[in-house]
Amino acid sequence: MRRLIKSELFQLSKSNFYWRICIANIVLALLAFAFDRTLGSDYELKGLDWFCVRRLRISWLLYIICIYTSEYMAGEFHNHRYNTKLICGFTRRQIYGAKLAVYVSGMLPLLVINTAIGTLVRTICYGFGTDFNENIVIRIAKAELYYVLFCFVVGAVSVLFAMMTKSRAVAFVLGVCINQRGGSLLANLPYYLKHMGDYVLKKGIDCFAQLMPIYQIDSILVPQEYKPHPIGLFLLSCNIWLVVIYVLSMNLFENSDLN
């Protein structure tokens, strides 16, 4: 499997698509900054505020994640590379495991690029916002943990659709729509709950929503509307969702027709 991972890493590093998506990521990060400036002074955030708050919405980065996921995971069905690796003697589980490991490795630079560009341009324009001290370092580390895990959950949803549909276009559309729709529903959850009469149903929906990683992100962004939880619960919910989604994806891959 190590040989397969090395082969996947080499292919990704030489892929024109991956370098194009990195460039597109830089452009979108700059466009997101320019767009925020058109919204008024409320969105003119200092570097630290953007890093720890606004960035957690992932904004236009969602499109980069879904494009990267659909191309890298679903594109292999189109060019029959999965089938070629199977003929070479690798098992489906080894192929999926290697693909997933390299997928995660390729995702990290995309997150770093988005973070670096977003923080840099806002720090240049508006300043960083504070001097470094122990509390600031802890706050930054916590925000980074929330950001990375949430992006991986978003990516996992797209991986599931890639394995389910075997189509780059469909996986991209479903990944964007489901993630955006889920965010929209949770954004309006406090309003829905206030106007819901059935107490048992209301409590059940509220408890289930709190297990979703995006709920925890919203609790940071709008604490007056959502119930903030300890970071341990966020870690637990993210890990549960990641394990469940990736296991489902692996089962779909193991039972799919690679021809």
Side-chain angles (χ1 to χ4, degrees), residues 31-128:
L31 287 176
F33 167 69
F35 180 74
D36 282 351
R37 295 195 69 176
T38 66
L39 299 178
S41 58
D42 289 343
Y43 289 86
E44 294 179 357
L45 301 177
K46 295 182 182 296
L48 179 64
D49 294 329
W50 180 84
F51 185 96
C52 295
V53 182
R54 174 73 172 166
R55 181 182 64 134
L56 298 181
R57 293 188 183 276
I58 74 173
S59 186
W60 295 0
L61 180 63
L62 170 64
Y63 298 98
I64 296 295
I65 293 175
C66 291
I67 291 173
Y68 166 64
T69 306
S70 59
E71 175 64 30
Y72 187 66
M73 299 301 289
E76 300 288 75
F77 288 106
H78 178 72
N79 56 34
H80 304 292
R81 287 184 180 175
Y82 285 133
N83 193 40
T84 301
K85 293 165 187 172
L86 197 62
I87 294 173
C88 291
F90 296 105
T91 66
R92 291 186 179 228
R93 186 159 295 190
Q94 287 175 327
I95 295 171
Y96 179 82
K99 196 73 176 175
L100 190 61
V102 177
Y103 165 78
V104 171
S105 301
M107 174 85 82
L108 289 173
L110 299 178
L111 303 186
V112 170
I113 289 172
N114 182 268
T115 296
I117 297 297
T119 305
L120 180 62
V121 294
R122 286 166 178 80
T123 299
I124 292 173
C125 292
Y126 311 123
F128 186 68

Side-chain angles (χ1 to χ4, degrees), residues 14 31 41 78 109 164 184 191:
K14 297 297 181 181
L31 287 176
S41 58
H78 178 72
M164 186 183 299
S184 176
Y191 173 81

Side-chain angles (χ1 to χ4, degrees), residues 58 62-63 65-67 69-70 153-162 165 167-183:
I58 74 173
L62 170 64
Y63 298 98
I65 293 175
C66 291
I67 291 173
T69 306
S70 59
V153 173
V154 169
V157 173
S158 295
V159 170
L160 179 62
F161 289 128
T165 65
S167 167
R168 286 172 289 197
V170 177
F172 168 74
V173 171
L174 288 176
V176 170
C177 291
I178 295 301
N179 279 302
Q180 283 190 335
R181 186 57 180 166

Side-chain angles (χ1 to χ4, degrees), residues 103-252:
Y103 165 78
V104 171
S105 301
M107 174 85 82
L108 289 173
L110 299 178
L111 303 186
V112 170
I113 289 172
N114 182 268
T115 296
I117 297 297
T119 305
L120 180 62
V121 294
R122 286 166 178 80
T123 299
I124 292 173
C125 292
Y126 311 123
F128 186 68
T130 186
D131 296 326
F132 275 97
N133 55 53
E134 183 179 349
N135 292 330
I136 294 301
V137 171
I138 293 174
R139 184 185 175 191
I140 289 174
K142 184 178 179 180
E144 186 65 16
L145 182 60
Y146 273 90
Y147 175 70
V148 171
L149 283 178
F150 181 52
C151 287
F152 278 134
V153 173
V154 169
V157 173
S158 295
V159 170
L160 179 62
F161 289 128
M163 296 295 106
M164 186 183 299
T165 65
K166 305 179 189 177
S167 167
R168 286 172 289 197
V170 177
F172 168 74
V173 171
L174 288 176
V176 170
C177 291
I178 295 301
N179 279 302
Q180 283 190 335
R181 186 57 180 166
S184 176
L185 286 173
L186 279 179
N188 293 296
L189 182 65
Y191 173 81
Y192 296 146
L193 293 179
K194 287 178 182 177
H195 294 81
M196 191 173 292
D198 191 323
Y199 176 79
V200 175
L201 179 61
K202 177 179 178 179
K203 195 67 177 177
I205 292 175
D206 188 35
C207 291
F208 177 76
Q210 291 182 44
L211 296 176
M212 302 182 71
I214 192 172
Y215 183 98
Q216 298 306 312
I217 297 297
D218 286 334
S219 73
I220 296 174
L221 302 175
V222 195
Q224 63 271 22
E225 295 288 349
Y226 300 86
K227 301 173 184 175
H229 292 291
I231 190 170
L233 185 58
F234 176 76
L235 293 174
L236 178 62
S237 66
C238 281
N239 285 317
I240 290 174
W241 281 100
L242 286 172
V243 169
V244 170
I245 293 174
Y246 283 135
V247 167
L248 288 174
S249 301
M250 184 174 65
N251 287 334
L252 286 170

